Amino acid sequence: MLRNGLGRTFRFLGYTVQYGCIAHCAFEYLGGIVVCSGPSMEPTIQNSDIVFSENLSRHFYCIRKGDIVIVKSPNDPKSNICKRVIGLEGDKVCTSNPSDFLKNHSYVPKGHVWLEGDNLRNSTDSRCYGPVPYGLIRGRICFKIWPLNDFGFLRASPNGHRFLDD
């Protein structure tokens, strides 16, 4: 009887470890569901919207300008932030705020991306903390899940004029 009980316990532990490993790999490499908070991505993503983030793009270096990404915060590594990719390595980006009379430009260094929120007046982004290392990118947001009336792929950036092509 004790032997039978131990066998069941070890079998249960074995299945738990196996399925835990499968779940870890799925969330780490495939993607997951993310609840976004804060006003920095309005009007594209509102506070408490639920989105699906896929993680394969970051592993295959398929992140492009205009993508919305989940990134480990450069200011607080325990939290994630949601921002739009404005520039990739080697791109010229506008580093000043929209209200500034004189515009400053800079180039994104190798291995980094330039991130900005869609709500430029209420976003802490690369204009504050500079270019972000590519390694901090956790995933790319594919589409919005909730609210249901806004279900689907995300709209283009309302700040498309900030993308420079030279």
Side-chain angles (χ1 to χ4, degrees), residues 54-116:
E54 62 85 14
N55 299 346
L56 290 174
S57 292
R58 75 178 169 115
H59 292 294
F60 293 115
Y61 295 92
C62 297
I63 302 295
R64 298 183 314 249
K65 279 198 261 186
D67 286 346
I68 299 175
V69 292
I70 303 292
V71 180
K72 285 279 182 204
S73 172
N75 293 338
D76 178 15
K78 293 181 181 176
S79 66
N80 292 320
I81 57 174
C82 175
K83 303 292 182 201
R84 189 178 298 271
V85 177
I86 301 299
L88 301 170
E89 65 180 45
D91 287 344
K92 184 179 179 182
V93 292
C94 180
T95 59
S96 51
N97 290 314
S99 59
D100 293 347
F101 181 71
L102 293 174
K103 302 297 182 200
N104 296 321
H105 295 89
S106 182
Y107 288 93
V108 180
K110 185 174 176 76
H112 290 70
V113 294
W114 189 267
L115 304 174
E116 291 182 3

Side-chain angles (χ1 to χ4, degrees), residues 129-151:
Y129 44 70
V132 176
Y134 192 93
L136 293 182
I137 295 175
R138 306 305 305 148
R140 180 179 65 90
I141 294 179
C142 295
F143 55 87
K144 196 181 295 190
I145 297 172
W146 189 263
L148 285 177
N149 63 341
D150 215 6
F151 180 86

